[in-house]
Amino acid sequence: MPPNASTRGVGDGNGHERPHKTRRLSVEQASESTPLLAAGDIAPAADPEISEATTLIDEPSSSSSNDEFDPENKPLPVAQILVLCYARWVEPVAFFSIFPYINKMAQENGNLADADVGFYSGLIESLFSLTQMTVMILWGRAADRFGRKPVLVFSLVGVTLATAMFGMAKTISQMILFRCLAGVFAGTIVTIRTMISEHSTAKTQARAFSWFAFTGNLGILFGPLIGGALADPAGQYPRLFGHVQFFRDYPYALPSFAVGGIGISAVLVTAFLAEETLKKDLFGGGSDSEESGAAPAKPAPMSTWNLLKSPGVPIALYTYGHIMLLAFSYTAIVPVFWFTRIDLGGLGFTPLQISLLMGLNGLAQAIWILLVFPPLQHRIGTNGVLRVCAIAYPFFFTLCPLFSLLLRKGGSTGETIFWFVTPVMLCLGCGVSMSFTAIQLALNDASPSPVTLGTLNALALSLVSGVRSFSPALFASLFAISARTQWLWGYAIWVLMVLLALGFTVVSRYMPDYDEMRRQRERRELDEDGLLHVGGGVAGVTTAAAEAYAD
């Protein structure tokens, strides 16, 4: 039996081989600082010519060494994730803080009739989302070219200034201008998503993006609270601010300034504590290997069209948009559904009941995302989570008209059953929110290269901004038409929602294995890095030494 590579001997001149054990060095060890004449060469000391000319470089032989150098075992940098989550908190706070007062502000600034207020407030928000959609890809390209941190800090500064100025607007045109200006600086969310992806591994990304999603929910919670509590301070708190003429002239400046203060703190935290995640050699920086002339060539940038044609990317983007359409449409319908009278196809909730159920909904989503999603994703994979959510979505939407029918036809017994069952089913149904985080992980795994991750996230968020620009108004209007015409007893809108959810169920069955795509890409990158390091570390090995090892 021929000897294997680890026990192959070297001839002693008498036709015999002297077996020996080789010492292996990792790819990371095979750098410019690795001596070519290493102590662990493949020839014994008794053969000086061969020993001095030969070095074997390979991966670590022990499992502990493999664990040490395995990128998948890199711990999650919790401090960096918290810094990025704090920066992420600014965007939903800024977006939702104006909701409590935008209708009144628009009416006062434009001298609008009551019937026209909804149109202009909706127009302002739609233009904000459309602006985000047009610039998102540009920010992603900039993050891929100049680095993540500069784009993030610059975007945070822009969002902070635009949001602070919004409260100073005195006309409808100024409100649109400042809101669209905030949309222009949409680089925050795309850059933060990319940086969290680059800080995490396949083993830690579920936990990292759970925190990311939870922070977004906190922004949705605190944004309206800040806006509602601080709007018109002279009117709400006359003893404190009634004598301040500035707040009488600009009643909506204080909440905007408060959100601006949060933005400034995020700018400072990010500027001083956040770490750059895009490798220098990916955007033109130097490295030790470059100085020695053994650096790899800078990869050519991938065009947006080629990125869109990459394996797994088109269906991931489509699925992302489909899930967001379901989310935005449900978010637009459910407050009106809860408020609408029972005989028209709603639930007839009071404002207090709506507030309590919305709070329960937020709590349930946080529990699913923080506590259930990470272990579930680890057990069944990203695609597994998406398929479970895709099956649950149609059933979740079907429950809504059933709850209304229970109140409409069940009498007092039905009402008792309703209040016993509905909160529980609502909490269980909130599990579909795991699809938001799962599709983000699928998008990360679909990226053909780390250098395209920013652009790919920008494409996804551009798609989301486009969906958000029309879906709330469209589906709220469709619900109103359904209730007014009483088509299918006022439940026609839920038939449409179930059909849309079934579309997601079908699409989820055809998604590629993104976990396997990621593993293949990482193995390929490790192999390429290993070849590059080996090429630089053994450049001085002679042909005679190579032949001696081959023999």
Side-chain angles (χ1 to χ4, degrees), residues 114-428:
D114 290 346
D116 296 332
V117 172
F119 170 77
Y120 282 97
S121 61
L123 176 65
I124 291 170
E125 291 313 308
S126 294
L127 289 175
F128 171 83
S129 297
L130 286 172
T131 305
Q132 279 191 324
M133 182 181 66
T134 58
V135 302
M136 198 74 75
I137 296 177
L138 299 177
W139 284 115
R141 286 289 188 185
D144 287 341
R145 180 174 182 180
F146 301 110
R148 319 303 193 201
K149 183 174 177 178
V151 170
L152 176 57
V153 173
F154 184 77
S155 300
L156 282 173
V157 171
V159 169
T160 297
L161 294 178
T163 303
M165 289 189 294
F166 181 82
M168 303 286 290
K170 299 299 291 183
T171 65
I172 296 291
S173 299
Q174 290 176 355
M175 293 174 67
I176 293 175
L177 173 64
F178 292 140
R179 197 61 172 163
C180 288
L181 188 61
V184 167
F185 293 96
T188 54
I189 188 67
V190 61
T191 309
I192 292 170
R193 285 174 183 263
T194 305
M195 294 178 76
I196 289 179
S197 300
E198 292 168 338
H199 271 306
S200 56
T201 67
K203 294 181 179 179
T204 60
Q205 63 177 350
R207 184 155 54 103
F209 276 97
S210 296
W211 294 352
F212 174 85
F214 177 68
T215 307
N217 288 337
L218 288 181
I220 296 172
L221 170 65
F222 284 100
L225 289 178
I226 294 172
L230 300 182
D232 190 16
Q236 288 199 80
Y237 315 106
R239 292 187 178 182
L240 291 176
F241 302 104
H243 62 283
V244 181
Q245 187 61 37
F246 176 82
F247 290 128
R248 300 178 71 87
D249 295 336
Y250 299 95
Y252 307 105
L254 185 58
S256 295
F257 290 167
V259 175
I262 295 173
I264 290 174
S265 67
V267 169
L268 296 176
V269 168
T270 305
F272 289 104
L273 298 180
E275 297 176 357
E276 178 60 65
T277 57
L278 186 62
K279 296 179 181 179
K280 289 184 178 181
D281 59 347
L282 293 180
F283 59 94
S287 66
D288 294 339
S289 58
E290 281 179 329
E291 294 173 2
S292 64
K298 181 182 176 181
M302 179 179 289
S303 67
T304 302
W305 179 243
N306 288 334
L307 177 60
L308 286 172
K309 295 189 296 182
S310 298
V313 169
I315 191 170
L317 287 173
Y318 172 79
T319 307
Y320 200 118
H322 199 133
I323 290 173
M324 291 300 105
L325 178 63
L326 295 176
F328 292 142
S329 58
Y330 177 77
T331 303
I333 290 172
V334 73
V336 188
F337 169 66
W338 287 349
F339 178 77
T340 301
R341 297 199 318 263
I342 296 173
D343 61 298
L344 294 179
L347 299 181
F349 285 172
T350 65
L352 177 59
Q353 290 171 333
I354 292 175
S355 299
L356 291 175
L357 280 181
M358 289 188 73
L360 179 64
N361 184 82
L363 177 62
Q365 283 194 20
I367 292 174
W368 279 103
I369 291 173
L370 280 178
L371 302 182
V372 179
F373 176 75
L376 185 64
Q377 191 271 344
H378 180 72
R379 183 176 182 84
I380 66 176
T382 301
N383 271 3
V385 175
L386 285 172
R387 287 167 183 163
V388 169
C389 293
I391 293 172
Y393 254 114
F395 292 101
F396 179 54
F397 289 157
T398 302
L399 288 175
C400 295
L402 292 180
F403 289 153
S404 180
L405 277 174
L406 187 61
L407 290 176
R408 182 184 270 186
K409 304 295 185 180
S412 59
T413 303
E415 185 175 354
T416 302
I417 296 174
F418 172 86
W419 285 112
F420 180 77
V421 173
T422 299
V424 176
M425 298 307 297
L426 179 64
C427 292
L428 292 176

Side-chain angles (χ1 to χ4, degrees), residues 22 57 62 71 101 143 156 160 218 258 265 316 322 331 391 422 456 478 481 511 517 537:
T22 63
I57 301 175
S62 67
Y101 61 82
L156 282 173
T160 297
L218 288 181
S265 67
H322 199 133
T331 303
I391 293 172
T422 299
L456 184 56
L478 290 176
I481 294 171
M511 297 186 71
M517 290 175 62

Side-chain angles (χ1 to χ4, degrees), residues 49-95:
E49 290 92 8
I50 300 177
S51 176
E52 291 175 359
T54 316
T55 303
L56 176 62
I57 301 175
D58 206 341
E59 68 275 5
S61 58
S62 67
S63 59
S64 61
S65 298
N66 281 328
D67 292 340
E68 179 182 355
F69 294 108
D70 186 0
E72 292 302 308
N73 291 324
K74 183 182 73 173
L76 185 68
V78 175
Q80 286 298 306
I81 298 299
L82 291 178
V83 167
L84 294 174
C85 284
Y86 183 69
R88 189 269 186 275
W89 188 56
V90 174
E91 195 267 347
V93 167
F95 182 80

